[in-house]
Amino acid sequence: MNPDITRERENATFNVEKLTHILDGGIEKTKRRREIESLVISDPDFQSEDLNFLSRSERYDAAVKKSAQMILKLREYGISDPEEIYCYKSCVHRGRSEPLDLHLAMFLPTLLNQASPEQMETFFIPAWNLEIIGTYAQTEMGHGTHLRGLETTATYDPATQEFVLNSPTITSIKWWPGGLGKTSNHAIVLAQLHTQGKCHGLHAFIVPLRSMNTHIPLPGVVVGDIGPKFGFDEVDNGYLKLENVRIPRDHMLMKYAKVEADGTYVKPPSAKLTYGTMVFIRSMIVGEAGRALAKSCTIAIRYSSVRHQSEIRPGEPEPQIMDYQTQQYKLFPLLATAYAYKFVGQYMNQVYHRITGDISQGDFSELPELHALSAGLKAFTTWTASEGIEVCRMACGGHGYSRCSALPDIYVNFVPTCTYEGENTVMMLQTARFLIKSYRQASAGHQLSGIVSYLNESERRLQPQSVSSRPTVVNVNDLASLVEAYKLRAAKLVELAAKSIQQELQKRVSQEDAWNNSAIDLVRASDAHCHYVVVKLFAAKLGEIGDTGVHSVLSTLALLYALQGIQQHSGDFLQTGLLSVPQLSQVSQRLKELLAQLRPNAVALVDAFDYCDEMLNSVLGRYDGNVYEHMFEWARCSPLNKTEVHESYHKYLKPLQAKL
Amino acid sequence: MNPDITRERENATFNVEKLTHILDGGIEKTKRRREIESLVISDPDFQSEDLNFLSRSERYDAAVKKSAQMILKLREYGISDPEEIYCYKSCVHRGRSEPLDLHLAMFLPTLLNQASPEQMETFFIPAWNLEIIGTYAQTEMGHGTHLRGLETTATYDPATQEFVLNSPTITSIKWWPGGLGKTSNHAIVLAQLHTQGKCHGLHAFIVPLRSMNTHIPLPGVVVGDIGPKFGFDEVDNGYLKLENVRIPRDHMLMKYAKVEADGTYVKPPSAKLTYGTMVFIRSMIVGEAGRALAKSCTIAIRYSSVRHQSEIRPGEPEPQIMDYQTQQYKLFPLLATAYAYKFVGQYMNQVYHRITGDISQGDFSELPELHALSAGLKAFTTWTASEGIEVCRMACGGHGYSRCSALPDIYVNFVPTCTYEGENTVMMLQTARFLIKSYRQASAGHQLSGIVSYLNESERRLQPQSVSSRPTVVNVNDLASLVEAYKLRAAKLVELAAKSIQQELQKRVSQEDAWNNSAIDLVRASDAHCHYVVVKLFAAKLGEIGDTGVHSVLSTLALLYALQGIQQHSGDFLQTGLLSVPQLSQVSQRLKELLAQLRPNAVALVDAFDYCDEMLNSVLGRYDGNVYEHMFEWARCSPLNKTEVHESYHKYLKPLQAKL
């Protein structure tokens, strides 16, 4: 054990294990998670060469091998709870995506939600037994977030009682679905349904892609891998071009909408039924933002405690780089953010499960709010977490660029969350639409409830109008007061966005153009709304914590989170008159004090995330802090070191020397 | 040609070719650059498979092959001007780093600058003819930016007139030098010189690493590749462990410092002589920030002009995504930044060459300012450009993640500039040291000249003290007035940082601790200083431009650059009383107008960067805008598509199905 990191742990002022239980959601959950992790870690079938040393084809191969083993072992161990499956799977693939992801997370759940009882019988058990390996093919080369724009067609032919599927243009080729390229033999294809000469919009169809015997693509199916990407090397994201592919009528998912034998279309009872999955996945992503940032902070903070560099005081030994104020300022607010997002993720998960119950009872009343919240928070957390991962990586200096740090992988595997499941700017604008609608309702005298109740007229009248007209009352040392300030900032920025739209309308432009011409303000308002929600939920979480030591350190983190957000957006707080210039100086001063205050607990706070070395897979983030020996060992295994002299020397350099 | 992009070009209001000449530095330079580019592009020896489809070893192999060809052809064509060599080399390797980079950019120049005449004779011609392939080994596993911390030793043994080189610890192993792993047979090694029982600090030694005949490492030399990284796949960054390696006395570079035969050490005449190279490389990096961002903007803006998505007005066709205000707000300020950095790069290059003349005359007077400026600007531009590349990438939606967009490569190949040649935070603090020193001189009554003259007492007294005490005079429509505002902001933030140090000192902490406890403020001051310099140089450049159309569009860009910076740092401008709240609203409004104003010229402005398709190497950034066909074509060549059925199916999936 590196003595520096041992000393860090000795200096901690709280019980790490207790904080771990809070993060896991209880002592029993921690225990079970560790059991599952050790099942995988001790399993010889899941040991493999470092993926960084393999070619892409080898990486895909290794991932398929592990996934196949995984399916067998999940059955062997009887692990069937979705959260436990997720935990086992994450551990097998070390948090990476894998070829069966969409089969497990989209194909099977979509069958469960949208297949009729007869279809369940036909497809679910074969899919459960991996005879049918499926993916979910929605996105097309030319069409992403805007679903109405999708071009793939499914035209019903009553003569044969079949649907004929086509990719009529190059832009209509399905593009991106994970597992589509090489792994899946079926796909749920989203296509525009045409029957009896009319288009009825997007519907889902089960399309066989490859022979069940030979795995060779079926006639009319042009399928393959879309090529190397920024990360996701193990996944065969694929393309799919359909050329007059015929499927039987009962291959349309018919739990809700139906096409009868003669081609008569039967509408689904509610369009909102498919919202749920989207909300669930976006909520999961919020938690994932917390996890990705927690991992990155674990690596960067542990490394900062064993890395010595430069000098603060001449003549003294090089200090731990964590002693530099600039290093603390890079890492500790991100540590606070990781905690914040983990707690927000827990909250979203709870709300989702509560509301799912209501939805199954036919009560959709809370869905719009949750939908808006999950969209905005998904964007807010993934943007900041992505940037944060890179800050952590660069805080490790040169070694953060080495693949052995794991930080490049964490980044490239996480950053796509900014784009998939709803592009972030589009998500922010969806939340803004809800906020503006709520603002207008409040302006019209309706009393709002829930998270947007701060937009109610009565509250708004209490708000400051400008820097001069009202003295500020924010107490920069009091978290509740800061939550209030974030709330008022959000209210003000929603109002500003609404006024911008109003001003545009006065120029006689259309509603739609007024919206687009105010989009910058709308995104800013959504951002402020989400920021308020995160600060509020972090503060609320503190109320649940009984242990004094843990409560104390989390309170410091929450205050740091709130104050750093104010410093970063100081313009907003000054502009809206919520803070005065002298208070802003207080914020800066207090921030520096909080950094110094957190310094002795930094390593313990990342230890509490409880990532074992096998899960982190980072030489820099090792629990024992013995970084350099293991980096050297890792490098010596690099493929370029398999021979002392690389063949290129004999092929090019030696002959060149002769010519010059 | 895609009709959308054709229409964009028709709408441009200025002559693209004239702007290209300005960027290149004159019509003749454009011509010559294009000549060199077409030499490479038409050369069958430089065609190769897409590097994204190769394994790392294959990529290294392909790069060595090209570099060897390149050396031959440079001689054949008689290209010897350093700028032209750089141009040819960039074109051959499509802007990527390559295994001979350090041989050309560090090994040969270091010989030229630091070798004695006898050493030149021994080493330079063999190195010029690539018999000696060299690299520059400075960084160690445990030591980067802080040179005094390096641990490698070179101990003189007068008995044999040799130096004995050693890596005494694991942290002293040389780590990172490009070309060290497999390519080089020599290295210039930086080591602590010990002679006659005394350590004389870092000196440079030429160390043979591999046999000139067999390329096998020499006894005592443990050398290899450090393993895969975030980018730089073509480069064999290496490690080097020296175990009692003996080199003759004349292998120490002895132009300045010397060790005589009996071991007597002779000091160099000035320690500043080695500053020049560092300043030069950092200046080059500033230009590189402009180029990396220019490439990224070219790709994202062209793609945004052909990509259609969602709807602004219901019922109308999907608009070009460049019509969304949010997209414009992401990309156009970055476009302005790319122009700004290109102009700053030109300026730095000119200043460097002017000052180099002075230095060779023994006049070092301007060196401290240039050194401070190059350090800060290197950090300022590389940070913002790195973030900007990712913004461009994500502005391309899902396709920005595909390697065929080229954006992932631009990012991973550029982002290391934040860390190498001086870690950015350390660079910012170096600039801050100069600023604080200057501030103190001015406070003591000295009259400052040059870029920091704004810190003079007399000027400072004219500055506003707080939001209330003084009416603001900034005209948000006038660039000169904005330059002034940036200047005053810098002055104010330098003052705040100096006061923070003062306050710390009053708490009776040491100078060094006071510095560290104010580091956040110091970085912020440097940042404001650099931002001021960039705005100022951009404004100054406008004065050189005669053509009305070009002047007009560049003026719009400069205004956008300045106003967007104000909006992003609105807290600073409000806090220092330079802007009022109503003016900030004006800034927001004006920004939106400028986005709309730039919209018709966006494609023409990236065309003016004049990256041919072969150099961009991006399907999304194609000049003709025909994105989708070529993306499909590219994907079909992906290695995973070499067979219809991947072997993993037969190895794992088929057997699994039998077991379930």
Side-chain angles (χ1 to χ4, degrees):
Chain A
M1 192 70 68
N2 179 299
D4 284 321
I5 209 163
T6 303
R7 206 176 50 245
E8 295 293 333
R9 292 185 175 121
E10 287 163 1
N11 290 340
T13 63
F14 68 97
N15 183 317
V16 172
E17 186 70 9
K18 282 187 183 165
L19 183 47
T20 301
H21 299 156
I22 292 167
L23 288 165
D24 280 321
I27 186 164
E28 282 306 315
K29 291 219 171 173
T30 300
K31 198 175 145 226
R32 181 64 181 147
R33 175 179 55 75
R34 287 182 183 158
E35 273 170 16
I36 292 175
E37 284 174 6
S38 62
L39 271 181
V40 177
I41 289 164
S42 61
D43 191 329
D45 285 334
F46 293 131
Q47 312 311 315
S48 74
E49 202 181 345
D50 192 312
L51 291 172
N52 289 299
F53 295 158
L54 306 181
S55 75
R56 179 154 177 253
S57 181
E58 291 164 340
R59 289 172 81 145
Y60 170 70
D61 193 277
V64 173
K65 181 177 177 185
K66 281 191 197 168
S67 294
Q69 292 283 0
M70 175 180 81
I71 300 286
L72 283 174
K73 305 223 171 185
L74 283 171
R75 305 231 173 150
E76 184 186 327
Y77 298 132
I79 296 174
S80 60
D81 172 78
E83 269 186 43
E84 294 195 351
I85 292 178
Y86 179 83
C87 176
Y88 191 89
K89 202 174 103 62
S90 295
C91 203
V92 167
H93 289 284
R94 307 291 196 254
R96 286 187 161 93
S97 292
E98 49 103 357
L100 294 185
D101 272 347
L102 267 75
H103 178 77
L104 298 169
M106 290 297 292
F107 190 80
L108 291 175
T110 306
L111 287 182
L112 279 169
N113 293 331
Q114 298 186 40
S116 67
E118 304 78 43
Q119 291 177 321
M120 280 298 284
E121 213 153 296
T122 317
F123 296 109
F124 194 80
I125 292 304
W128 185 245
N129 287 332
L130 276 184
E131 287 166 58
I132 291 181
I133 305 172
T135 181
Y136 189 85
Q138 177 176 299
T139 303
E140 296 173 358
M141 208 193 254
H143 311 278
T145 303
H146 183 63
L147 296 186
R148 282 201 300 280
L150 294 173
E151 294 178 83
T152 305
T153 55
T155 308
Y156 185 64
D157 177 358
T160 59
Q161 298 202 16
E162 289 171 321
F163 292 101
V164 189
L165 280 100
N166 269 299
S167 310
T169 61
I170 182 119
T171 44
S172 74
I173 297 172
K174 294 290 178 189
W175 205 264
W176 280 111
L180 172 62
K182 309 307 278 187
T183 315
S184 301
N185 53 26
H186 280 69
I188 290 175
V189 171
L190 277 282
Q192 305 287 353
L193 165 62
H194 293 261
T195 179
Q196 296 180 336
K198 239 187 105 179
C199 176
H200 296 276
L202 274 194
H203 288 74
F205 302 84
I206 299 177
V207 181
L209 303 178
R210 291 175 178 264
S211 152
M212 299 295 275
N213 285 319
T214 64
H215 209 62
I216 288 173
L218 297 171
V221 172
V222 182
V223 69
D225 175 80
I226 63 164
K229 298 141 296 187
F230 201 35
F232 279 60
D233 288 302
E234 290 73 29
V235 183
D236 54 325
N237 299 81
Y239 59 77
L240 172 64
K241 189 165 179 284
L242 297 164
E243 296 169 346
N244 287 313
V245 172
R246 288 182 164 261
I247 56 172
R249 182 174 68 95
D250 65 6
H251 278 42
M252 171 174 148
L253 287 176
M254 296 227 211
K255 185 167 177 187
Y256 302 116
K258 290 183 181 58
V259 171
E260 290 173 355
D262 67 347
T264 305
Y265 176 71
V266 183
K267 275 206 307 194
S270 164
K272 284 183 182 158
L273 283 162
T274 50
Y275 267 38
T277 321
M278 228 152 50
V279 169
F280 175 68
I281 291 178
R282 288 176 192 160
S283 304
M284 285 285 290
I285 292 176
V286 172
E288 197 56 38
R291 283 185 287 274
L293 207 45
K295 275 191 190 180
S296 306
C297 287
T298 303
I299 297 166
I301 286 177
R302 285 186 183 158
Y303 179 62
S304 296
S305 78
V306 299
R307 174 80 175 181
H308 291 255
Q309 188 74 178
S310 293
E311 56 186 20
I312 294 176
R313 301 174 202 95
E316 291 188 13
E318 296 183 292
Q320 292 162 284
I321 59 175
M322 199 148 66
D323 286 335
Y324 290 96
Q325 191 183 58
T326 45
Q327 188 78 351
Q328 295 169 9
Y329 190 57
K330 285 176 193 172
L331 297 179
F332 297 173
L334 291 173
L335 177 61
T337 306
Y339 272 93
Y341 292 178
K342 286 206 152 217
F343 296 142
V344 175
Q346 287 178 350
Y347 169 85
M348 297 286 285
N349 197 277
Q350 287 156 10
V351 175
Y352 172 75
H353 283 105
R354 180 168 55 74
I355 295 189
T356 317
D358 298 341
I359 294 172
S360 65
Q361 308 294 314
D363 173 6
F364 299 114
S365 59
E366 284 194 81
L367 202 55
E369 177 174 323
L370 184 61
H371 185 251
L373 187 65
S374 69
L377 281 177
K378 179 264 187 189
F380 181 80
T381 57
T382 56
W383 265 332
T384 45
S386 296
E387 281 175 23
I389 295 165
E390 278 295 86
V391 171
C392 287
R393 193 178 62 70
M394 292 206 248
C396 295
H399 298 324
Y401 292 85
S402 172
R403 292 273 171 185
C404 77
S405 75
L407 288 162
D409 279 326
I410 295 173
Y411 184 65
V412 297
N413 287 311
F414 180 74
V415 71
T417 58
C418 294
T419 306
Y420 64 50
E421 301 299 331
E423 196 278 326
N424 273 359
T425 303
V426 178
M427 291 301 95
M428 281 298 196
L429 289 169
Q430 280 187 9
T431 299
R433 203 169 284 281
F434 180 74
L435 293 173
I436 294 294
K437 197 174 145 196
S438 302
Y439 174 87
R440 287 179 182 161
Q441 286 173 341
S443 301
H446 291 92
Q447 193 67 13
L448 302 174
S449 62
I451 198 95
V452 288
S453 57
Y454 65 85
L455 295 172
N456 283 327
E457 269 293 303
S458 54
E459 284 206 49
R460 262 163 49 224
R461 268 191 231 109
L462 296 174
Q463 283 170 40
Q465 293 311 311
S466 81
V467 75
S468 50
S469 67
R470 184 173 158 286
T472 47
V473 289
V474 174
N475 176 352
V476 303
N477 290 306
D478 176 42
L479 190 58
S481 176
L482 296 175
V483 173
E484 200 61 17
Y486 273 94
K487 183 171 99 176
L488 295 174
R489 167 183 173 238
K492 193 75 192 172
L493 294 186
V494 172
E495 189 176 9
L496 278 178
K499 283 188 176 159
S500 167
I501 296 174
Q502 210 50 45
Q503 278 163 14
E504 287 294 320
L505 288 173
Q506 281 162 7
K507 294 182 199 158
R508 297 174 178 277
V509 304
S510 66
Q511 277 285 352
E512 292 78 17
D513 286 328
W515 180 266
N516 186 35
N517 294 346
S518 307
I520 297 172
D521 308 287
L522 289 162
V523 171
R524 196 174 156 211
S526 283
D527 189 83
H529 173 73
C530 294
H531 211 150
Y532 158 58
V533 172
V534 173
V535 174
K536 182 185 148 94
L537 291 174
F538 201 164
K541 185 74 193 181
L542 294 179
E544 298 172 18
I545 292 162
D547 183 84
T548 324
V550 172
H551 189 277
S552 165
V553 73
L554 286 184
S555 300
T556 309
L557 276 180
L559 198 57
L560 177 70
Y561 180 75
L563 290 178
Q564 199 244 3
I566 289 177
Q567 193 177 53
Q568 280 190 319
H569 300 90
S570 59
D572 286 358
F573 288 89
L574 289 173
Q575 192 184 356
T576 51
L578 291 163
L579 277 189
S580 64
V581 171
Q583 279 182 312
L584 200 58
S585 304
Q586 276 179 43
V587 168
S588 301
Q589 192 50 42
R590 193 80 186 90
L591 262 175
K592 291 185 201 170
E593 291 162 13
L594 291 173
L595 296 178
Q597 201 174 320
L598 277 169
R599 168 71 184 81
N601 279 320
V603 167
L605 280 166
V606 298
D607 284 351
F609 292 134
D610 201 26
Y611 287 110
C612 59
D613 282 345
E614 290 82 358
M615 281 296 288
L616 267 189
N617 207 16
S618 164
V619 168
L620 300 188
R622 293 174 62 87
Y623 187 82
D624 67 9
N626 293 328
V627 167
Y628 299 114
E629 305 82 310
H630 289 93
M631 188 150 40
F632 191 35
E633 194 180 296
W634 180 84
R636 297 193 84 158
C637 301
S638 165
L640 279 194
N641 294 329
K642 278 190 182 144
T643 56
E644 279 284 14
V645 179
H646 193 267
E647 53 180 340
S648 59
Y649 171 76
H650 301 291
K651 278 152 70 184
Y652 316 118
L653 293 178
K654 189 87 185 166
L656 173 69
Q657 286 164 349
K659 286 184 205 158
L660 288 168
Chain B
M1 192 70 67
N2 179 299
D4 284 321
I5 208 164
T6 303
R7 206 177 51 245
E8 294 293 334
R9 291 186 174 118
E10 287 163 2
N11 289 340
T13 64
F14 68 97
N15 183 317
V16 171
E17 186 69 11
K18 282 186 182 163
L19 182 47
T20 301
H21 299 156
I22 292 167
L23 288 166
D24 280 321
I27 187 164
E28 282 306 315
K29 291 219 170 174
T30 300
K31 200 175 145 226
R32 181 64 181 147
R33 176 179 55 75
R34 287 181 183 159
E35 274 170 15
I36 292 174
E37 284 174 5
S38 62
L39 271 182
V40 177
I41 290 164
S42 62
D43 192 329
D45 286 334
F46 292 130
Q47 311 313 314
S48 73
E49 202 182 344
D50 192 311
L51 292 173
N52 290 299
F53 296 157
L54 306 181
S55 73
R56 179 155 177 251
S57 181
E58 290 165 341
R59 290 172 80 144
Y60 170 69
D61 192 276
V64 173
K65 182 179 177 183
K66 281 191 197 168
S67 294
Q69 293 283 359
M70 176 180 82
I71 299 289
L72 283 174
K73 304 222 173 186
L74 283 170
R75 306 235 172 145
E76 182 186 330
Y77 298 132
I79 296 174
S80 60
D81 173 77
E83 270 186 44
E84 294 194 351
I85 291 179
Y86 179 82
C87 177
Y88 191 89
K89 200 173 105 63
S90 295
C91 204
V92 168
H93 289 283
R94 306 291 196 253
R96 285 189 162 92
S97 293
E98 50 103 356
L100 294 185
D101 272 348
L102 267 76
H103 178 77
L104 298 168
M106 290 297 292
F107 189 82
L108 291 175
T110 305
L111 286 182
L112 280 168
N113 293 331
Q114 298 185 40
S116 68
E118 304 78 42
Q119 291 177 320
M120 279 300 282
E121 212 152 298
T122 318
F123 297 108
F124 195 81
I125 292 303
W128 185 246
N129 287 333
L130 275 185
E131 288 166 57
I132 289 180
I133 305 173
T135 181
Y136 188 86
Q138 178 177 297
T139 302
E140 296 173 359
M141 210 193 253
H143 311 277
T145 303
H146 182 62
L147 297 186
R148 281 200 301 281
L150 293 173
E151 295 178 82
T152 305
T153 55
T155 308
Y156 185 64
D157 177 359
T160 59
Q161 298 202 15
E162 288 171 321
F163 290 100
V164 188
L165 281 100
N166 269 299
S167 309
T169 60
I170 183 119
T171 45
S172 75
I173 297 173
K174 294 290 179 189
W175 205 265
W176 281 111
L180 172 61
K182 309 307 279 187
T183 316
S184 301
N185 53 27
H186 280 68
I188 290 175
V189 170
L190 278 280
Q192 304 289 353
L193 165 62
H194 293 261
T195 178
Q196 297 179 335
K198 238 187 106 180
C199 176
H200 296 276
L202 274 194
H203 288 75
F205 302 85
I206 300 176
V207 182
L209 303 178
R210 289 173 179 267
S211 151
M212 301 294 276
N213 284 320
T214 63
H215 210 60
I216 288 174
L218 297 173
V221 172
V222 181
V223 70
D225 175 79
I226 62 163
K229 299 141 296 187
F230 201 33
F232 279 61
D233 289 302
E234 290 74 31
V235 184
D236 53 324
N237 299 80
Y239 60 77
L240 172 64
K241 188 164 180 284
L242 297 165
E243 297 170 344
N244 287 312
V245 173
R246 289 182 164 261
I247 56 171
R249 184 174 68 95
D250 65 6
H251 278 42
M252 170 175 149
L253 287 176
M254 296 226 209
K255 185 167 175 187
Y256 302 115
K258 289 184 182 60
V259 170
E260 289 173 356
D262 66 348
T264 305
Y265 177 70
V266 183
K267 274 205 307 192
S270 164
K272 284 182 182 159
L273 283 163
T274 50
Y275 266 39
T277 321
M278 227 152 50
V279 170
F280 175 68
I281 290 179
R282 288 176 191 161
S283 305
M284 285 285 290
I285 292 176
V286 172
E288 197 55 39
R291 284 185 287 275
L293 207 44
K295 275 192 189 179
S296 306
C297 286
T298 303
I299 297 165
I301 287 177
R302 284 185 184 159
Y303 179 61
S304 296
S305 78
V306 299
R307 173 81 175 180
H308 291 256
Q309 187 74 179
S310 294
E311 55 185 21
I312 294 175
R313 301 175 202 95
E316 291 189 13
E318 295 183 294
Q320 293 162 281
I321 58 174
M322 199 150 64
D323 287 336
Y324 290 96
Q325 190 183 59
T326 44
Q327 188 79 350
Q328 296 170 8
Y329 189 57
K330 284 176 194 173
L331 297 179
F332 297 173
L334 291 174
L335 177 61
T337 306
Y339 272 93
Y341 292 178
K342 286 206 152 217
F343 295 142
V344 174
Q346 286 179 350
Y347 168 86
M348 296 287 285
N349 198 276
Q350 286 156 10
V351 175
Y352 173 75
H353 282 106
R354 179 168 56 73
I355 295 189
T356 318
D358 298 342
I359 294 172
S360 65
Q361 307 294 314
D363 173 5
F364 299 112
S365 60
E366 283 194 82
L367 203 55
E369 178 174 323
L370 184 62
H371 185 251
L373 188 64
S374 68
L377 281 178
K378 179 265 188 188
F380 181 80
T381 58
T382 56
W383 264 333
T384 46
S386 295
E387 280 176 24
I389 295 165
E390 278 294 86
V391 171
C392 288
R393 192 178 62 70
M394 293 206 248
C396 295
H399 298 323
Y401 293 85
S402 172
R403 292 272 170 186
C404 77
S405 74
L407 288 163
D409 279 326
I410 295 174
Y411 183 66
V412 297
N413 287 311
F414 179 75
V415 71
T417 58
C418 295
T419 306
Y420 64 51
E421 299 300 330
E423 195 278 327
N424 273 358
T425 303
V426 178
M427 293 299 96
M428 281 297 196
L429 288 170
Q430 281 187 9
T431 299
R433 204 169 283 281
F434 179 74
L435 293 172
I436 294 295
K437 196 174 147 196
S438 301
Y439 174 87
R440 287 180 181 159
Q441 286 172 343
S443 301
H446 291 93
Q447 193 67 14
L448 303 175
S449 62
I451 198 92
V452 287
S453 58
Y454 65 84
L455 294 172
N456 282 328
E457 270 294 304
S458 55
E459 284 205 51
R460 263 167 44 227
R461 267 190 233 108
L462 296 174
Q463 284 170 40
Q465 293 311 311
S466 82
V467 75
S468 52
S469 66
R470 184 172 157 285
T472 49
V473 290
V474 175
N475 176 352
V476 302
N477 290 305
D478 176 40
L479 191 57
S481 175
L482 296 176
V483 173
E484 199 61 18
Y486 273 94
K487 184 171 98 175
L488 294 173
R489 167 183 174 238
K492 193 73 192 175
L493 293 187
V494 172
E495 189 176 10
L496 277 180
K499 284 188 177 159
S500 168
I501 296 174
Q502 209 51 46
Q503 278 164 13
E504 288 293 321
L505 288 172
Q506 282 161 5
K507 295 181 200 160
R508 297 175 177 277
V509 303
S510 67
Q511 276 286 350
E512 293 79 16
D513 286 329
W515 179 266
N516 186 35
N517 295 345
S518 308
I520 297 172
D521 307 286
L522 289 162
V523 170
R524 194 173 158 212
S526 282
D527 189 83
H529 172 74
C530 294
H531 212 151
Y532 158 59
V533 171
V534 173
V535 175
K536 182 185 149 96
L537 292 174
F538 200 163
K541 184 76 194 180
L542 294 178
E544 298 173 20
I545 292 160
D547 182 83
T548 325
V550 172
H551 189 276
S552 166
V553 72
L554 286 184
S555 300
T556 308
L557 275 179
L559 198 56
L560 178 70
Y561 180 76
L563 290 178
Q564 198 244 2
I566 289 177
Q567 193 177 52
Q568 281 190 318
H569 300 91
S570 59
D572 287 357
F573 289 88
L574 289 173
Q575 192 185 356
T576 51
L578 291 163
L579 278 190
S580 64
V581 170
Q583 279 183 313
L584 200 57
S585 304
Q586 276 179 44
V587 168
S588 300
Q589 192 49 42
R590 193 79 186 91
L591 262 175
K592 292 185 200 170
E593 291 163 14
L594 291 173
L595 296 178
Q597 201 173 318
L598 278 169
R599 168 71 185 79
N601 279 320
V603 167
L605 280 166
V606 299
D607 284 351
F609 293 134
D610 202 27
Y611 288 109
C612 58
D613 282 345
E614 290 82 359
M615 281 295 288
L616 266 189
N617 207 19
S618 165
V619 168
L620 300 187
R622 292 175 62 88
Y623 187 82
D624 67 9
N626 293 328
V627 167
Y628 298 114
E629 307 81 311
H630 290 94
M631 189 150 38
F632 191 34
E633 195 180 293
W634 180 84
R636 297 193 83 158
C637 302
S638 165
L640 279 193
N641 295 329
K642 277 189 183 144
T643 56
E644 279 284 14
V645 178
H646 193 267
E647 53 180 341
S648 59
Y649 172 76
H650 300 292
K651 279 154 67 185
Y652 317 117
L653 294 178
K654 190 86 184 165
L656 173 69
Q657 287 164 348
K659 285 185 206 160
L660 288 167

